[in-house]
Each structure stands twice: as C-alpha cells, then as structure tokens.
Amino acid sequence: MKTVACPRCQKAVPWSAESRFRPFCSERCKHMDLGAWANDEYRIANAEPPDYEPAVSPKPD
C-alpha cells in the first residue's frame, strides 16, 4: 500500500479510503495546517512582482 508523509508532522499515512484525514495523519494535524494558512504562516514566493495596470483609468474630476 502506498504511504505519504503527513505535511505537518511527517508521520507515514496510508493513502487509502480508510485514512479519513489524508494526506494528514490526524484531525489535529489537519487543523494545525489550516490554522497556519489562516495566520499567513505560509507564503508563496514570487521572484518578480506582477505588473500593475488599472483595468479602467480614473476619470478626472
């Protein structure tokens, strides 16, 4: 049976329908990971900031 590492604690998790919280090993690890996303602990790196161009030019007053 294929196993994967829990993204939170690295414990081996069987990849099957019986693993209720896959890829996490437990509900606790699942909630800890969700909390980390909610607290902005994870960031996606971007080498270059996107070019910003307003979709509509502001109208002069």
Side-chain angles (χ1 to χ4, degrees):
M1 179 183 305
K2 181 178 179 176
T3 62
V4 296
C6 173
R8 194 74 189 163
C9 70
Q10 304 305 308
K11 180 180 174 184
V13 179
W15 193 260
S16 67
E18 289 80 32
S19 299
R20 289 182 48 199
F21 305 106
R22 69 179 173 185
F24 301 98
C25 66
S26 65
E27 187 173 21
R28 179 178 182 265
C29 278
K30 180 180 174 182
H31 285 144
M32 287 176 63
D33 192 71
L34 179 60
W37 280 105
N39 289 328
D40 289 330
E41 293 176 26
Y42 295 136
R43 308 261 179 183
I44 299 173
N46 188 357
E48 296 179 28
D51 293 333
Y52 176 76
E53 293 182 27
V56 178
S57 298
K59 294 181 182 180
D61 291 326

